[in-house]
Amino acid sequence: MTTAAQTQVKPRRAWSPSQIVLTLLGTAVSVVFLSPLAWALFTSLKPETEAVAVPPHWLPEDWTGQAWSAMFETGNIVNWFVNSVVVSVCVTAVVLLVSALAGYGFARTEFRGKAALMGVVMTGLMVSPAVLGVPLFTTVQQMGMVDTYWGMILPQCAPAAMVYILYKFFQGVPRELEEAAFIDGAGRWRVFFTIILPLSRPSLAAVGIFTFIASWNNFLWPYMVTNNPDLMTMPNGIATVMNSYGIQWAQLMAGGLMAGLPLIVVFVFFQRQIVAGVAHTGLAGQ
């Protein structure tokens, strides 16, 4: 006789009241955050006369992709996108290098004036970038970098917050790992590149993502430092979507969705690295 194997299916556990409350709360928060995106999408699919109608309504009465096609016809979307990618990637690369070196230097080396210099870095966290706009522009102008990529990139590469994040992480790395490498004959640079950087991948990923997003969304500085339409980034290019009759709201919403799509992709695919990076820096409870 042959016996058939029977698989026992475990009954699903009923949700506890706390799970139900947390699920409802998470759903409500998600709806609040997704509502502006939904409104922008529906507005971009309306005719311009319907987009400015009062009172407004969510769903278009006349569905059309005119605003999307107009953005590609009247705006240099591809050029704006390429400029944003170039500026954001270069800023992210420089910030990662500078922040890692500065954070490790503050965490592991002793030198005269270290406390004062660290105080200067911390002061940078309290100064708004808008306050530094005029002196930065004067400096860039004197260096002849107005209307250039370097003029848009270099002033964004003074990352006080990112230095502090990596400084806190490097402080938590056990010194015994470095001391063992020093005993084996490794130098400071070799220890940094072969031991410290591999251990700091989650924090570096978080710093890189935060920097890329901040640079991609930066409107004020590229607007100040360049008047060349060929060097406009996505935020600056979208701001030009207007004519003598005022803002074209349907086109503006379409352009905003185009500009925000790369950031949505970054959040979807790298949310685990963001959470892990914040957890590893020790800032989650601060």
Side-chain angles (χ1 to χ4, degrees):
M1 295 180 59
T2 60
T3 59
Q6 296 181 351
T7 58
Q8 295 182 354
V9 179
K10 295 182 180 180
R12 298 181 61 180
R13 295 177 57 185
W15 283 21
S16 64
S18 60
Q19 289 178 318
I20 296 175
V21 171
L22 290 176
T23 301
L24 293 176
L25 181 61
T27 303
V29 173
S30 301
V31 169
V32 170
F33 278 98
L34 291 176
S35 294
L37 292 176
W39 176 263
L41 177 61
F42 291 142
T43 302
S44 68
L45 297 175
K46 298 177 182 177
E48 191 60 41
T49 55
E50 191 176 341
V52 298
V54 178
H57 49 86
W58 274 84
L59 297 177
E61 297 179 357
D62 182 15
W63 296 77
T64 177
Q66 180 180 0
W68 292 84
S69 60
M71 282 297 300
F72 283 98
E73 293 173 0
T74 61
N76 197 351
I77 294 292
V78 176
N79 194 28
W80 299 344
F81 185 86
V82 171
N83 291 336
S84 290
V85 170
V86 170
V87 172
S88 299
V89 169
C90 290
V91 169
T92 302
V94 175
V95 166
L96 283 174
L97 178 63
V98 173
S99 300
L101 291 173
Y104 182 70
F106 280 122
R108 285 293 190 265
T109 60
E110 298 295 334
F111 54 90
R112 183 177 299 177
K114 173 182 175 180
L117 189 57
M118 190 63 191
V120 173
V121 174
M122 297 301 295
T123 303
L125 297 174
M126 299 179 286
V127 179
S128 172
V131 177
L132 303 176
V134 174
L136 278 176
F137 178 80
T138 303
T139 304
V140 170
Q141 188 178 40
Q142 292 175 349
M143 297 177 66
M145 293 192 298
V146 176
D147 285 335
T148 64
Y149 278 124
W150 289 116
M152 291 189 288
I153 293 170
L154 292 181
Q156 299 186 59
C157 297
M162 304 308 168
V163 171
Y164 180 72
I165 289 175
L166 292 180
Y167 164 70
K168 294 294 291 183
F169 172 79
F170 292 142
Q171 277 189 323
V173 176
R175 291 180 179 269
E176 289 77 8
L177 296 175
E178 298 170 83
E179 293 172 356
F182 291 146
I183 293 174
D184 291 338
R188 176 70 70 178
W189 286 103
R190 184 176 179 182
V191 169
F192 176 72
F193 284 107
T194 61
I195 297 178
I196 300 300
L197 286 186
L199 290 175
S200 59
R201 285 178 183 173
S203 297
L204 290 175
V207 167
I209 293 169
F210 293 152
T211 302
F212 181 86
I213 292 173
S215 179
W216 184 277
N217 287 330
N218 194 348
F219 170 82
L220 182 60
W221 179 247
Y223 179 77
M224 292 178 60
V225 80
T226 180
N227 293 318
N228 188 350
D230 294 332
L231 291 178
M232 283 185 176
T233 57
M234 287 293 286
N236 301 125
I238 293 171
T240 63
V241 183
M242 61 182 65
N243 57 18
S244 58
Y245 298 100
I247 300 174
Q248 303 296 302
W249 289 105
Q251 294 184 34
L252 187 62
M253 295 299 152
L257 290 173
M258 293 180 192
L261 183 60
L263 303 185
I264 296 174
V265 173
V266 168
F267 271 114
V268 170
F269 288 98
F270 295 100
Q271 56 182 328
R272 181 175 301 176
Q273 285 80 357
I274 295 174
V275 175
V278 173
H280 279 78
T281 57
L283 299 178
Q286 296 187 13

